Structures are given as C-alpha cells and as structure tokens.
Amino acid sequence: MKKLINDPEHVVNESVEGFGLAHADVVAVHTDPIFVTRAGGAVQGKVGLVSGGGSGHEPLHAGFVGLGMLDAAVPGAVFTSPTPDQVAPAIQAADGGAGVLAIVKNYTGDVLNFETAAELADAEGVTVRSVVVNDDVAVEDSLYTAGRRGVAGTVCVEKIAGAAAERGDDLDAVVAVAEKVIANVRSMGVALTACTVPHAGKPSFDLPEDEIEIGIGIHGEPGRRRIPLASADEITEMLLTPVADDLKLASGEKVLLFVNGMGGTPLSELYVVYRHARALLEGRGVEVVRSLVGNYVTSLEMQGASVTVLRLDDELTALWDAPVHTAALRW
C-alpha cells in the first residue's frame, strides 16, 4: 500500500500540524499534548463542546471545530483513543465559564478516557457533562464496544448540539438536545475494501475482491455478514432498511438523509447510494427535508459508505440549518 507519509510514527502530528496551517483562520493547534481548539479560544459565557477519538476518520473531529460546532477536538493515534492527559487540557481550553459537553463515540477506550479526563477537569473547577453516541444498528457488541458503536451520526450530534450552544442554551439544555439527536439517529455501513493503518503496513482485514462486508465499523470491525458483491441499489437497501426499521419511521415523518463515504469511494458513487436511499424512504411515506453527502467520518482509504437517518422536528431542523463555519462543514 502506497501512502503519502514520512514516518508512520509521525503521521498524526504532521497531519494535524498541516491542518492547523491550512485553516489558521478557524482553528489553533496545541502541542504536547496535541489537541485542536477554535482560533479565538473559548467563547466566554457559552457552553463548550469537546469531542475526539482515534485519527484516521478525518475530517472527524478536528474538521468540525469552529463556529456552530465544536470548541475543541482531540486526535489520538490512528484508530486509538486519545489519552486522558490530552483530553483534560482540551476540556479546560473549551471552557468559557458555562460548562463543557463532551461528545463521545461509543468505543470502550474513548468512553473510559473521556470519563477520566472529565474527572481531571472537574478537579480543576470545570463542570463537565458527557453524552455517548451509539447510532450504529449493525451489531450490538463489537471488538471495541459494549453496546452499539458510534459512527457517522456523531456529525449530526456535534452540529445540532453545537448550534444549541451557539445560540446561548445552558449546559442542561445542550445536553438535552444532544440526547434527543442520539435517540433519533441511526446508521449502518458497508466495506468494499479494507483500509491500511500506516504503522501496520498491510490491510486491517482480508476481504476478497468479489465480496463485501455489510455492517462494518469505522475501524474495520466485523459487520453483520459477508456477502458476494451486489449492485449499488441492493447494497443501499441492505443499509437503509435496518436503519429505518430501527427508528420505526412512520409515513409523514421528516428526516435528514446523510450518505457518508469511508474515504476511498468517489462522490459519484455516494450519490448513487443517496438516490436509492431517498427513493426507499419516500416509498415508506417519509419526507427527506435535509441532506448531506460526502466524506465526513472516514476509515482512512477504505472503499465503502454508510447511510445515516436522523428523524427531524422543527427544533432539530432549525438547529441543523443554523450557521456553521468549520474546515469541513460551513453554511
């Protein structure tokens, strides 16, 4: 596998350094320990939002630091949770005096390390609350989790909770909005190929050319089943149906449809998936009123995609529409 890297040991630091240089108007990069904050620092009087996790999922999470989303993001090593001594100073840096919400994907390392970091920050006088994103319907327990995994639905949580914080909601209200999104968002993904972690130098799992893995995790964890390669519409139905069924979507409901690329799939193919996912939802009488298509929660260069559906009401729609200005999401 060919990669544009220098030394596998320095990939994360060099990537984050380049990210900071490219987006210096939006973010500031802190080193030793490494984390990313808004360029102007904490906004006084506003609830701070912090997230993070293993690198390799870019633009998640650093790409969502900025106006209307996160105040800080903490990148760990590739596919490895950031340590508490990284997370704790990021929490402190995001604190504008109104408390901090930590948005944590449901992976055991992330949950434990953010919990420890919250205790450290609390000892320094910062009020910290946490929510755990667990939107993946593919499997209940996996290699990295107890319960469901946190995947692309994390973007919806960060955007909508970020908008609530930006409009001035207090910590309890921001937590309530984040939990409302978590309760109403579901995802499922597929892998066409494995990805290669830089320091490993070989694919993370074996997937024959004529097979795909349905229900894959964003680290290459096993999914529901491995099947022969099928058409885009057939694969889309395998992803969308369990998501819609789990949400118990009813005719007349309104949703956000989010088709996410895993890093190695062309945008043209993601729109093929979106096309059929939307038709399937409309066939159920569900109205797609907001959309997002692109590479937002990736798995290095894995070929594949995930389908996320968020049930919307007037409040969540307004918060989704609220202004955002980050490296990866802006309107």
Side-chain angles (χ1 to χ4, degrees):
M1 170 59 66
K2 301 170 187 173
K3 288 183 177 289
L4 284 169
I5 64 174
N6 296 308
D7 183 333
E9 296 298 317
H10 300 148
V11 168
V12 172
N13 284 2
E14 291 179 355
S15 176
V16 174
E17 181 183 352
F19 171 79
L21 292 169
H23 302 288
D25 59 322
V26 178
V27 301
V29 172
H30 306 259
T31 57
D32 195 27
I34 191 166
F35 61 93
V36 178
T37 63
R38 287 202 201 192
V43 179
Q44 294 305 304
K46 186 187 83 68
V47 171
L49 264 66
V50 177
S51 194
S55 295
H57 306 304
E58 290 76 19
L60 192 80
H61 293 274
F64 302 126
V65 172
L67 174 75
M69 284 190 82
L70 299 177
D71 295 276
V74 194
V78 175
F79 291 0
T80 304
S81 173
T83 59
D85 64 354
Q86 283 180 270
V87 180
I91 290 174
Q92 293 180 46
D95 180 35
V100 174
L101 172 62
I103 298 172
V104 187
K105 300 190 303 303
N106 189 32
Y107 294 95
T108 302
D110 288 357
V111 171
L112 292 175
N113 288 346
F114 270 83
E115 187 177 278
T116 301
E119 293 171 357
L120 293 171
D122 184 70
E124 297 294 325
V126 181
T127 301
V128 186
R129 300 275 297 279
S130 298
V131 294
V132 177
V133 185
N134 58 353
D135 55 308
D136 189 357
V137 303
V139 291
E140 190 61 38
D141 294 294
S142 75
L143 191 62
Y144 295 90
T145 64
R148 291 179 168 181
R149 303 174 291 215
V151 288
T154 309
V155 176
C156 302
V157 180
E158 293 178 355
K159 170 64 185 80
I160 290 174
E166 204 73 54
R167 74 181 178 185
D169 288 15
D170 64 18
L171 184 56
D172 286 343
V174 176
V175 170
V177 164
E179 290 178 339
K180 182 177 179 181
V181 177
I182 291 168
N184 287 283
V185 67
R186 300 289 187 273
S187 303
M188 190 160 169
V190 61
L192 279 63
T193 65
C195 60
T196 298
V197 176
H199 63 261
K202 61 181 181 180
S204 54
F205 58 95
D206 178 51
L207 189 57
E209 192 65 29
D210 58 350
E211 292 183 349
I212 59 174
E213 182 94 20
I214 297 289
I216 197 76
I218 57 175
H219 307 92
E221 311 97 309
R224 283 189 172 184
R225 62 191 187 278
R226 187 168 289 193
I227 64 169
L229 180 63
S231 71
D233 284 359
E234 290 170 321
I235 294 169
T236 301
E237 188 160 0
M238 293 178 206
L239 302 181
L240 188 280
T241 299
V243 166
D245 288 349
D246 199 271
L247 281 171
K248 297 179 173 61
L249 289 176
S251 180
E253 290 195 287
K254 297 179 179 181
V255 300
L256 161 72
L257 174 58
F258 170 23
V259 174
N260 173 66
M262 294 294 188
T265 298
L267 197 55
S268 58
E269 294 177 25
L270 298 181
Y271 281 117
V272 172
V273 172
Y274 176 89
R275 167 186 170 273
H276 193 54
R278 180 159 181 153
L280 291 169
L281 287 168
E282 290 173 347
R284 291 170 172 250
V286 175
E287 185 181 359
V288 178
V289 295
R290 296 294 184 274
S291 305
L292 187 65
V293 181
N295 290 287
Y296 294 99
V297 183
T298 61
S299 185
L300 295 169
E301 81 290 357
M302 180 187 285
Q303 292 180 1
S306 61
V307 172
T308 297
V309 177
L310 169 63
R311 177 186 282 112
L312 291 173
D313 60 14
D314 290 345
E315 178 190 34
L316 295 186
T317 304
L319 289 168
W320 178 261
D321 289 346
V324 59
H325 189 90
T326 68
L329 206 65
R330 54 181 66 181
W331 53 72

